[in-house]
Amino acid sequence: MSVDFRKLKSFVKIVDTGSVSRAAGILRTAQPALSQQIASLEAHFKHKLLIRSNVGIAPTEAGLILYRHAQLMLKQIEQAQIDIDQAAKSVAGRVSIGLATYSSSSALSLPILKEMKARHPHIVVHINDSFGHILSELIMTGKMDMALIYAANPIKGVTLQPLFREEMFLVSPPGIELPGESNTPLPLSELQEIPLLLPSKAHLLRRLIDDALARARATPEVVSEIESVPALSAAVLEGLGSTILPASVVTETASFSGAQVRALTKPVIDATVSLCVADHLPLSEPAIAARSVLLDVVGKLMSSEHPGIRPA
């Protein structure tokens, strides 16, 4: 049997009130549970701690000694909680977070910033979701603290924590006619004649798309390679072509408003999004705080039933 602070708190409250029933009411605990806790304490210390009298319950000599020590310990643990909470509120510094472009993680930037401001107002957050950077290399060299990236296989110099898998959808101009019923998945082989706007071949998403199209024996008509989300959404809505993105990127990006979103199949294109940190550099205190916030925000994303997102 171990002595925990809950038992000590119950013991102190019984001594303070002189009654198990009154203590149970204050602690919102059943009387038998309190009696069992006292019995556990007496078994541990091998002394009777409480005695009943005509005026209620009073501590024995051993109980009085434990009462004094318990009060001191409970005050210390209460102060420890206050100090910990205060330390969390006063964490200050800078943290840099990379978010994979063209992924659902890019839609997390605003929730992360809002949550960081609420929890850690003294931490300056730098968000990077720009093209032209290999985020894992920035993590490995210490130029960035952490990132959400497309990756499932090990990468030298970093540690990956798979968080979720996201499915890719066809995003097309409003009003364009597509093969089949609008509410049914579109086989990749049907993309043969559809003009596509895709990221460059250096982007992992493009490699996933090319590989899936090759398995479907479809040769895509890539009319433009665009590495700018605003430019891509404008081109799609202007009717220049369709693109392939996670559905959440479209639903969370106002500039895609009005675009058609269609599931793809045979094969489904999906990718793992992982949290990436250096395997040889310790996280700073602000980075540890930011990682906790990031994981909480991802958890909310997972519970909100976004289309095409599922656990890794």
Side-chain angles (χ1 to χ4, degrees):
M1 193 281 296
S2 62
V3 176
D4 58 38
F5 290 105
R6 182 171 57 89
K7 292 186 179 73
L8 291 177
K9 184 177 180 180
S10 299
F11 172 73
V12 167
K13 189 59 65 177
I14 291 172
V15 174
D16 286 342
T17 60
S19 166
V20 173
S21 61
R22 283 196 292 270
I26 294 171
L27 297 172
R28 296 183 178 181
T29 304
Q31 290 188 46
L34 286 189
S35 298
Q36 187 176 17
Q37 291 176 28
I38 299 305
S40 294
L41 288 174
E42 291 179 332
H44 178 81
F45 290 108
K46 297 181 174 60
H47 282 278
K48 191 171 183 61
L49 301 174
L50 297 174
I51 55 174
R52 294 182 180 274
S53 67
N54 294 332
V55 294
I57 292 179
T60 63
E61 187 64 29
L64 194 58
I65 293 172
L66 178 60
Y67 176 78
R68 289 196 295 266
H69 283 287
Q71 278 191 314
L72 179 61
M73 286 186 284
L74 290 172
K75 287 179 181 179
Q76 288 177 329
I77 197 65
E78 182 180 358
Q79 186 60 49
Q81 184 66 60
I82 293 172
D83 292 345
I84 290 170
D85 291 342
Q86 186 60 39
K89 292 178 181 177
S90 62
V91 174
R94 298 177 64 88
V95 62
S96 53
I97 304 172
L99 300 174
T101 50
Y102 285 163
S103 79
S104 294
S105 61
S106 63
L108 299 176
S109 57
L110 183 57
I112 289 172
L113 289 171
K114 290 171 66 175
E115 196 66 23
M116 285 296 293
K117 181 180 180 181
R119 295 196 208 177
H120 307 287
H122 302 298
I123 296 178
V124 177
V125 182
H126 171 72
I127 297 287
N128 184 343
D129 65 350
S130 64
F131 289 90
H133 297 292
I134 299 177
L135 295 177
S136 60
E137 291 185 0
L138 296 178
I139 300 295
M140 185 170 50
T141 57
K143 295 178 180 178
M144 186 173 290
D145 294 304
M146 67 195 71
L148 291 180
I149 66 173
Y150 282 128
N153 299 321
I155 300 175
K156 185 178 180 181
V158 301
T159 297
L160 297 176
Q161 179 183 347
L163 299 179
F164 58 90
R165 293 184 66 82
E166 58 184 10
E167 183 180 334
M168 306 299 159
F169 291 71
L170 183 71
V171 183
S172 301
I176 189 176
E177 290 190 14
L178 297 171
E181 299 294 330
S182 60
N183 59 350
T184 60
L186 184 67
L188 286 186
S189 58
E190 297 287 353
L191 301 187
Q192 184 80 22
E193 305 297 331
I194 297 176
L196 292 179
L197 311 167
L198 299 177
S200 70
K201 290 182 179 294
H203 198 286
L204 175 63
L205 177 56
R206 173 64 181 274
R207 297 198 292 273
L208 291 173
I209 294 170
D210 286 348
D211 178 64
L213 288 168
R215 283 185 285 146
R217 298 182 179 179
T219 303
E221 182 188 350
V222 180
V223 296
S224 293
E225 292 182 342
I226 302 176
E227 296 193 343
S228 163
V229 173
L232 179 63
S233 61
V236 169
L237 293 185
E238 192 66 25
L240 301 182
S242 299
T243 190
I244 296 176
L245 291 173
S248 59
V249 176
V250 182
T251 58
E252 299 294 331
T253 305
S255 57
F256 274 109
S257 179
Q260 296 186 65
V261 180
R262 184 86 171 268
L264 294 169
T265 188
K266 297 181 181 180
V268 168
I269 307 174
D270 63 3
T272 298
V273 174
S274 298
L275 175 62
C276 175
V277 297
D279 63 5
H280 58 290
L281 300 172
L283 289 176
S284 65
E285 192 173 3
I288 291 172
R291 179 179 61 183
S292 176
V293 167
L294 188 152
L295 292 175
D296 286 348
V297 170
V298 169
K300 292 178 182 177
L301 173 72
M302 296 290 295
S303 64
S304 62
E305 298 182 356
H306 276 277
I309 293 181
R310 63 183 186 279

